[in-house]
Amino acid sequence: MQEQAGVDRNENFHRSEEPAIDIQAWRNRIRTETSSNYQYQMGLALLRCGDAANALAAFNRAISIQPDLVPAHLDRIVALHRLNQDMGATLEAISENTDLVACAAAVAVLGLFDGRYGKEDRVIIFPILAPLLPEAADSFDHIISESSDLNLWKYAIDILKIVENRGEAVKIRLSDLYMDFIRTVDDEVDLSKVSELAIRAAQFRPLFADEAVKEIFRRRQRLRIGTRTAVGGNGDVVASGVDAVLCKAAKLPLHDPETLYQLGLTMLLQGLWSDAQVSFRHCLDLAGDHVGALSYLALVEFVMGNLDSSLGVFDRLSSIGPTTSSPWVPAWARSFGGLVLQASGKLEDAVERYRSALDSGAEYAWAYSNLGLGLLAAGQLDEAEAVQRKALKLEENYWQFSNLALVLEAQGRHQDALDLHRRSLEFDPEWARFRCLVRPWAAQTLFQAYQELDGDETTTASSIF
């Protein structure tokens, strides 16, 4: 049943949501937009030079070629105001078309952030638009009076939400505006709101899906790195605020393997196993043997309880062979395949698999650490500790710290174990907690340790894992 659901989801990924293109209509539209934009850009240049009269003439020509060219209507208002001419006809032209009203509001609001409209121009434009969008009038008033970019952003979002409800035609136009805005807005603006706009743009215009999600990931990474540097390690907290928004991208028709892989990781850390599974599988459909997608698909299948499927993916991964960029792949896959066998109750086979990962002569910390888990389960605590310490000497990371802590806990060295658990969480809290689920026989011990570290006995397993 779950397998079929995944197949159905993959079919949806491949299904185009865009209507078939009428080539002649497309060519005509390009000609029209090119001609009207030429006149519009000429008007802007003239307006900047102080020639409002000729700018007005250029805007009029642009509108005659393309009557729904929203920016031309707005800048025509500015030109008329500078010439002290009546703006009634322009107001009437805009108000006759509901879509035009909505798009004018969106263009004006987003124009604040790309620097197209300064405070002087917005004082002219927004009072004219306010009567046409009564439900947004208060927000327009705030936009006129506020100078803080953060406050402007808040009011802009209010207006954009109102505009979105104006119809499908508006949504299609908004998708272009949103993507233009997302590319130019400063990183300091709330990342979750930028991400929400990117997802909406892709929902309105599916062809934007890959670009929108990539832009979110780029911003997420820049903000994470910048915040780590600025505030001493809080970048993960800031960046994770957007992950719930990103999970909506699972329903978009994505076609870029790397985007699907990153999206799968995001949903994995949110505990959305089925969605992560679908993203990794779709990545593999498009990219073949993508090492990262295979690795995490195997782990997701494992934590979902699909042990045979998980072992099959690990076997596929181990058969790829070492590459220049990923020499660790065969040993890593064999080693983690041992975890699946151990979870299946086949401890001897698991230990044999762990040792085979080291037979290649590779000194991989993960392989030693996993062997230590098998020895721990077999009750060979001294040997398990020696192997775990060798792993930790080769590489310090959350997996090695946490696994050695399990051995020390079994030896009754509770405080030493807690110290290692703390280091594991500090190293990478997101992944340390996910990896708890990859050790089902130790999950309760891990949970109790992290509960104690949190200092809150009411903490639930779901809040930690």
Side-chain angles (χ1 to χ4, degrees), residues 208-337:
F208 284 155
D210 286 312
E211 181 184 355
V213 178
K214 284 179 185 177
E215 184 62 30
I216 297 173
F217 278 123
R218 280 195 293 270
R219 288 179 173 278
R220 184 182 187 276
Q221 185 61 19
R222 285 203 302 268
L223 200 61
R224 169 178 276 184
I225 293 171
T227 310
R228 274 181 175 157
T229 303
V231 296
N234 197 36
D236 287 329
V237 175
V238 174
S240 65
V242 77
D243 287 348
V245 178
L246 268 172
C247 289
K248 296 179 182 178
K251 297 179 181 178
L252 297 175
L254 299 168
H255 301 91
D256 177 67
E258 196 59 32
T259 301
L260 285 160
Y261 169 60
Q262 293 295 333
L263 189 59
L265 291 179
T266 299
M267 292 186 293
L268 179 155
L269 292 174
Q270 291 286 307
L272 302 174
W273 315 127
S274 296
D275 288 331
Q277 178 192 57
V278 169
S279 284
F280 291 137
R281 286 181 178 177
H282 188 207
C283 173
L284 293 169
D285 288 343
L286 296 171
D289 288 334
H290 186 290
V291 169
L294 282 171
S295 301
Y296 287 107
L297 174 60
L299 291 175
V300 167
E301 296 282 8
F302 184 22
V303 299
M304 290 176 70
N306 305 327
L307 301 186
D308 289 344
S309 177
S310 176
L311 189 59
V313 178
F314 278 126
D315 286 344
R316 175 181 169 185
L317 189 60
S318 65
S319 69
I320 292 177
T323 64
T324 302
S325 60
S326 304
W328 50 268
V329 169
W332 188 90
R334 284 198 293 271
S335 176
F336 275 85

Side-chain angles (χ1 to χ4, degrees), residues 433-461:
R433 285 162 178 168
F434 169 74
R435 297 290 184 182
C436 291
L437 301 176
V438 186
R439 294 162 290 189
W441 55 87
Q444 187 59 36
T445 299
L446 289 162
F447 168 66
Q448 289 173 348
Y450 291 143
Q451 186 181 52
E452 187 171 341
L453 288 172
D454 280 355
D456 183 0
E457 294 182 359
T458 65
T459 300
T460 63

Side-chain angles (χ1 to χ4, degrees), residues 20 23 61 76 114 121 143 166 175 227 283 300 330 340 359 387 396 401 427:
I23 298 298
R61 289 192 295 271
R76 188 177 190 277
D114 62 17
D121 290 335
I143 284 176
R166 289 293 170 129
S175 64
T227 310
C283 173
V300 167
V340 182
D359 287 344
V387 170
E396 289 190 356
F401 283 132
F427 198 98

